[in-house]
Amino acid sequence: MLKLCGLQFLLLIHLDIWLNLEGLSVTGPLKDMDFSVQEGGGPRILHQFKLESPAVSFRISGEKAGIIDIEPRTGILYINGSLDWETKQVHKLQVESLDESGKRVKGPYTVTIYVEDINDNPPEFNQTKYYGVVRQNSRPGKPFMYVHATDRDDPTTLHAQLSYRILHHFPNPYDEMLFQIDNATGAISPSRKGSYYLDPQKQDTFILVVSVRDMAGMTINAFTTSVDVIITVKESLWKAPPTIYIKENSTQVHPVSISKVQSNEPDVIYGIFEKEKLPRLPFSISENGDIYVTQPLDREERDTYTFFVVSKDNTGELVDKPLQIHVIVEDINDNPPVCQQALTIIEVQENEMGGSNIGTVFATDMDKKDTLNSRLHFQIQSQEPEFPLKNLFYIQQDTGTLQLAGRSLNKRESAKYFLKVLVTDSKFETICDVEVHVIDINDQIPIFKNSDYGSVAVAEDISIGSVILEIEATDGDEPATGSSLIIYQVKEGDPNNTFIIETDSETNRGFIKINKALDFETMPVYNLVINATNPEPLVGGVQYNSSSLTVLKVFVTNVDELPVFRKPIYRTEVSEDIPVNTWVMTVEAYDPEGDSVRYSLEGDVRKWLRIDSATGQVYTASPLDRETEEIYSVEVVVSELNNAAQKSKVFLILHLRDVNDNYPQIATDYPTFFCYPVSGGERTLIQATDADEQFFYSKFTFSLANEMNARNNWEISKFNATHAYLSLKHANFEENVYDVPIILNDNGKPPLENKVNLKVSICKCSSENSCFIDIDREHSWPTVGQAIGILLGVLIIIGAIVAGAFCHMRYKEKNEKSNPKDAKDDAELNRLA
């Protein structure tokens, strides 16, 4: 009771202060009201309800929580203590007024007190310590565990919004952390560096100190709690299996499981893609990571396969790095030996000694090289004929090399032998056919039918490739072999290979042909020594002798040839300003027979050149002009002095080098004019041109002549290297044509200067800003008055002609009444009409 009285005393003091401040805002009649009150904060006054007669007191009921009440006589609603949001967020109360007898006057009215949360609770983790496992090479940013904390404050406010972070990292061998945490969800995942560096062989355990702060971690006075997270690093499950070996042509029921892969993350989708594009990859992978071969493989078709296995999440993103899978197809002996040739033909000379290697029987096996499956053995199964001995041949069993077993072969005994060679591997066998040809040895030399073919005369202008003589030798060896084929060659007398001899392989005849052009003046006679040999070497003890030699004398007859120039074309360059009679160049020609020659020019249309007929020296005959023709071509004719019909021609091309010999001019493509009336300051663009090369007028200079009128009326300013502006200096110009004296300088070497009178028209202009009158009146169109006069004159003449014709027709009509109309009158009438 004492406490209540003390409280009432305290409330009265508060009330007195309160009413003196803003009584109207905190007092009022009894009605429904809502209040928002922060939790905590101790006793406080909320409101004062006013009594209205006949009411003398108030009464409150409802969720008072033992601390909410009203002073009956004064109507002060107060809290005697602290509210707690975590205990109750809303208090519902009913207030009514009573009269003297305790009967209700007004009410009950609802008073609702909303408790506002303050940040008075720190966050709490749901575990005192966390444990997690991460795999080596796990995807960065992919969570492998979570931490979780709660806050008892209002979740709709910052008071309960939590933010996670990693405070410490034990151990921390790198500058950057190997782990990262989502500050909103508490999801822990490897960082990009961690995904690369985490290795259980180096460090298998890490301790993370993870903190959580309320107020979303944005204020310094937020509550903070921390917890230890122990992480174990384990070896990656995502590993490429070792090389897979599969025996070819397997008879198992396919598909057959050959290996397995497993991702570090669950629920991934596995796939296969090829390193090389194949028509069909004979491998597949299941949703569990089992790798299958889908069909029997053939090593001879393909002995290795390389492909990649990938893991993806449900969005199609790669989870792990692709794994390369290498498959080797193991060989089995499933291929028989194969003869490299259907028939192996071996040639053996008669004089081959016993034990000589005469050839090799080649066979292959498609099974794996350098294994027992492809090891071959050779054996002679039969020999036909078995004469003079049964075993004339021997074969090395591992190499297939065929040898003579003992004695030499004799073609007279048998020209051919047929062998069947058995080739085997560990499982299969094959027969290879061999045919041995006994060939004649080269023990006979070619012999010429004529040891001297005399002489032959040939004109020096004979065509290359022409046949000049046919020769022949004979050989006693077996026909159509290398021992009997004859090769003819010029042994002596032809140092420049002017002749060539071709052999007809069927007849062994030789044809002597011209290989290079003949020249009587250089070599009038050839004394040829010709030999005949075989492509096959002679046997020991046999040598070529004089029987294989013949001689031939070739006389080259002279032909009157055309003169020849020393060069195929003559070119030179001269300056266009060289004086007349300046030497340009010398053209040289000669006659192969040594006759004298004379020179002349053809096509010298501009008469710029002349040539000394005896020496070929070319001079200028008149001034040259590059602007007329920059490249000047003429033909030089050389002919024999005693036979003008024997002549040759060559082009002489003269390049003229430009000099600065043309004065600059004003371009007159368009007339220069200003529209009348002028206001002064108008300008127009003028252009300078020069017939010389660009080198000499790359920069023009424009200026006005030193004349008073010109400088008072006009002004010139530079625009660029070839153009300038001509401007009016005032507006006092009449409609007229003016001559503007302009000095042009081309700044060449030497510089040329020219004074040009530019005609400038001041004229009335059309709406398109074009001048009505031309600058030059002498060649202009007639004026408007002149045009009207001309038109009237033409109309008068036409009217006179029409009137005369009409009168003539009337006169004819009168005559027709007395004279019949004939065809002539009709024609004349039609003509007049």
Side-chain angles (χ1 to χ4, degrees), residues 239-246 256-262 272 283-286 288-293 307 309 323-327:
K239 291 183 178 180
T243 301
I244 303 168
Y245 294 88
I246 303 175
V256 176
S257 176
I258 57 175
S259 189
K260 181 180 178 63
V261 294
Q262 183 178 350
I272 286 178
F283 300 96
S284 64
I285 190 168
S286 71
N288 297 322
D290 295 310
I291 302 174
Y292 295 90
V293 58
F307 56 91
V309 173
L323 297 180
Q324 181 170 289
I325 310 298
H326 190 55
V327 177

Coordinates of all heavy atoms in Angstrom, one line a residue, residues 239-246 256-262 272 283-286 288-293 307 309 323-327:
K239 N 37.9 -38.1 -59.9 CA 39.2 -38.4 -60.5 C 39.0 -39.2 -61.7 O 38.1 -40.0 -61.9 CB 40.0 -39.3 -59.5 CG 40.4 -38.6 -58.2 CD 41.2 -39.5 -57.3 CE 41.7 -38.8 -56.1 NZ 42.6 -39.7 -55.3
A240 N 39.9 -39.0 -62.6 CA 39.9 -39.8 -63.9 C 40.4 -41.2 -63.6 O 41.4 -41.3 -62.9 CB 40.8 -39.1 -64.9
P241 N 39.7 -42.2 -64.0 CA 40.1 -43.6 -63.7 C 41.4 -43.8 -64.5 O 41.7 -43.1 -65.5 CB 39.0 -44.4 -64.2 CG 38.3 -43.5 -65.2 CD 38.5 -42.1 -64.8
P242 N 42.2 -44.8 -64.1 CA 43.4 -45.2 -64.9 C 43.0 -45.7 -66.3 O 41.8 -45.9 -66.6 CB 44.0 -46.3 -64.1 CG 42.9 -46.9 -63.2 CD 42.0 -45.7 -63.0
T243 N 44.0 -45.8 -67.2 CA 43.7 -46.2 -68.5 C 42.9 -47.5 -68.5 O 43.2 -48.4 -67.8 CB 45.0 -46.4 -69.3 OG1 45.7 -45.1 -69.3 CG2 44.8 -46.8 -70.7
I244 N 41.9 -47.5 -69.4 CA 41.0 -48.7 -69.4 C 41.4 -49.6 -70.6 O 41.6 -49.1 -71.7 CB 39.5 -48.2 -69.6 CG1 39.1 -47.3 -68.4 CG2 38.6 -49.4 -69.7 CD1 37.8 -46.6 -68.7
Y245 N 41.6 -50.9 -70.3 CA 41.9 -51.8 -71.4 C 40.8 -52.7 -71.7 O 40.1 -53.3 -70.8 CB 43.1 -52.7 -70.9 CG 44.4 -51.9 -70.8 CD1 44.7 -51.2 -69.6 CD2 45.3 -51.7 -71.9 CE1 45.9 -50.5 -69.5 CE2 46.5 -51.0 -71.7 CZ 46.8 -50.4 -70.5 OH 47.9 -49.6 -70.4
I246 N 40.4 -52.8 -73.0 CA 39.3 -53.6 -73.4 C 39.7 -54.6 -74.5 O 40.3 -54.1 -75.5 CB 38.1 -52.8 -73.9 CG1 37.7 -51.8 -72.8 CG2 36.9 -53.6 -74.3 CD1 36.6 -50.8 -73.3
V256 N 28.7 -53.1 -71.4 CA 29.5 -53.7 -70.4 C 30.1 -52.5 -69.6 O 30.7 -51.6 -70.1 CB 30.6 -54.6 -71.0 CG1 31.5 -55.1 -69.9 CG2 30.0 -55.7 -71.7
S257 N 30.0 -52.6 -68.2 CA 30.5 -51.6 -67.4 C 32.1 -51.7 -67.4 O 32.6 -52.8 -67.2 CB 30.0 -51.7 -66.0 OG 30.6 -50.8 -65.1
I258 N 32.8 -50.6 -67.6 CA 34.2 -50.7 -67.7 C 34.9 -49.8 -66.7 O 36.1 -49.9 -66.4 CB 34.7 -50.3 -69.1 CG1 34.2 -48.9 -69.5 CG2 34.3 -51.3 -70.1 CD1 34.7 -48.3 -70.8
S259 N 34.2 -48.8 -66.1 CA 34.7 -47.9 -65.1 C 33.6 -47.1 -64.4 O 32.5 -47.2 -64.8 CB 35.8 -47.0 -65.7 OG 36.5 -46.3 -64.7
K260 N 34.0 -46.3 -63.5 CA 33.0 -45.4 -62.8 C 33.7 -44.1 -62.3 O 34.9 -44.1 -62.0 CB 32.5 -46.2 -61.5 CG 31.4 -45.4 -60.7 CD 31.0 -46.2 -59.5 CE 29.9 -45.4 -58.7 NZ 28.7 -45.2 -59.5
V261 N 32.9 -43.0 -62.3 CA 33.4 -41.8 -61.8 C 32.3 -41.3 -60.8 O 31.2 -41.7 -60.9 CB 33.6 -40.7 -62.9 CG1 34.7 -41.1 -63.9 CG2 32.3 -40.5 -63.7
Q262 N 32.8 -40.4 -59.9 CA 31.8 -39.9 -58.9 C 32.2 -38.4 -58.6 O 33.3 -38.0 -58.4 CB 31.9 -40.7 -57.6 CG 30.9 -40.2 -56.5 CD 31.0 -41.0 -55.3 OE1 31.6 -42.0 -55.2 NE2 30.3 -40.5 -54.2
I272 N 29.0 -37.4 -71.6 CA 30.2 -37.7 -72.3 C 30.3 -36.8 -73.5 O 29.3 -36.6 -74.2 CB 30.2 -39.2 -72.7 CG1 30.5 -40.1 -71.5 CG2 31.2 -39.5 -73.8 CD1 30.5 -41.6 -71.8
F283 N 30.5 -45.5 -76.3 CA 30.6 -45.5 -74.9 C 29.4 -44.6 -74.4 O 28.9 -43.8 -75.1 CB 31.9 -44.8 -74.4 CG 33.1 -45.6 -74.8 CD1 33.8 -45.2 -76.0 CD2 33.6 -46.7 -74.2 CE1 34.9 -45.8 -76.4 CE2 34.7 -47.4 -74.6 CZ 35.4 -46.9 -75.7
S284 N 29.0 -44.9 -73.1 CA 27.9 -44.2 -72.5 C 28.2 -44.1 -71.0 O 29.1 -44.8 -70.5 CB 26.6 -44.9 -72.8 OG 26.5 -46.1 -72.2
I285 N 27.4 -43.3 -70.3 CA 27.5 -43.1 -68.9 C 26.2 -43.1 -68.3 O 25.2 -42.5 -68.8 CB 28.4 -41.9 -68.5 CG1 28.7 -41.8 -67.1 CG2 27.7 -40.6 -69.0 CD1 29.8 -40.8 -66.7
S286 N 26.0 -43.7 -67.1 CA 24.7 -43.7 -66.4 C 24.6 -42.5 -65.5 O 25.5 -41.8 -65.3 CB 24.6 -45.0 -65.6 OG 25.4 -45.0 -64.5
N288 N 24.5 -42.7 -62.4 CA 25.3 -42.9 -61.3 C 26.8 -42.8 -61.5 O 27.6 -43.0 -60.6 CB 25.0 -44.3 -60.7 CG 23.6 -44.5 -60.2 OD1 23.0 -43.5 -59.7 ND2 23.0 -45.6 -60.5
G289 N 27.1 -42.4 -62.8 CA 28.5 -42.3 -63.1 C 29.2 -43.5 -63.6 O 30.4 -43.6 -63.8
D290 N 28.4 -44.6 -63.9 CA 29.0 -45.8 -64.4 C 29.3 -45.7 -65.9 O 28.3 -45.3 -66.7 CB 28.1 -47.0 -64.2 CG 27.9 -47.3 -62.7 OD1 29.0 -47.4 -62.0 OD2 26.8 -47.4 -62.2
I291 N 30.5 -46.0 -66.4 CA 30.9 -45.8 -67.8 C 30.7 -47.2 -68.4 O 31.2 -48.2 -67.9 CB 32.3 -45.3 -67.9 CG1 32.4 -43.9 -67.2 CG2 32.7 -45.2 -69.4 CD1 33.8 -43.4 -67.2
Y292 N 30.1 -47.3 -69.6 CA 29.9 -48.5 -70.3 C 30.5 -48.4 -71.7 O 30.5 -47.4 -72.3 CB 28.4 -48.8 -70.4 CG 27.6 -49.0 -69.1 CD1 27.1 -47.9 -68.4 CD2 27.5 -50.3 -68.6 CE1 26.4 -48.1 -67.2 CE2 26.8 -50.5 -67.4 CZ 26.3 -49.4 -66.7 OH 25.6 -49.6 -65.5
V293 N 30.9 -49.6 -72.2 CA 31.2 -49.8 -73.6 C 29.9 -50.4 -74.2 O 29.4 -51.4 -73.7 CB 32.4 -50.6 -73.9 CG1 32.3 -52.0 -73.3 CG2 32.7 -50.7 -75.4
F307 N 38.0 -39.7 -74.7 CA 36.8 -38.9 -74.6 C 36.8 -38.2 -73.2 O 37.6 -38.5 -72.3 CB 35.5 -39.7 -74.8 CG 35.3 -40.9 -73.9 CD1 34.6 -40.8 -72.7 CD2 35.8 -42.1 -74.3 CE1 34.5 -41.9 -71.9 CE2 35.7 -43.2 -73.5 CZ 35.0 -43.1 -72.3
V309 N 34.5 -37.0 -69.7 CA 33.3 -37.1 -68.8 C 33.1 -35.8 -68.1 O 34.1 -35.3 -67.5 CB 33.4 -38.3 -67.8 CG1 32.2 -38.3 -66.9 CG2 33.5 -39.6 -68.6
L323 N 36.9 -34.7 -67.0 CA 37.9 -35.8 -66.9 C 38.1 -36.4 -68.2 O 37.2 -36.8 -69.0 CB 37.4 -36.8 -65.9 CG 37.1 -36.4 -64.4 CD1 36.6 -37.6 -63.6 CD2 38.4 -35.8 -63.8
Q324 N 39.4 -36.6 -68.5 CA 39.8 -37.3 -69.8 C 39.9 -38.8 -69.5 O 40.6 -39.3 -68.6 CB 41.1 -36.8 -70.3 CG 41.5 -37.4 -71.6 CD 42.7 -36.7 -72.3 OE1 42.6 -35.6 -72.7 NE2 43.8 -37.4 -72.2
I325 N 39.1 -39.6 -70.3 CA 39.1 -41.0 -70.2 C 39.9 -41.6 -71.4 O 39.6 -41.2 -72.6 CB 37.7 -41.6 -70.2 CG1 36.8 -40.8 -69.1 CG2 37.7 -43.0 -69.9 CD1 37.3 -40.9 -67.7
H326 N 40.8 -42.5 -71.1 CA 41.6 -43.1 -72.2 C 41.4 -44.6 -72.2 O 41.5 -45.3 -71.2 CB 43.1 -42.8 -71.9 CG 44.0 -43.1 -73.0 ND1 43.8 -42.7 -74.3 CD2 45.1 -44.0 -73.1 CE1 44.8 -43.2 -75.1 NE2 45.5 -44.0 -74.4
V327 N 41.0 -45.1 -73.4 CA 40.7 -46.5 -73.6 C 41.6 -47.1 -74.6 O 41.8 -46.5 -75.7 CB 39.2 -46.7 -74.0 CG1 38.9 -48.1 -74.2 CG2 38.3 -46.1 -72.9

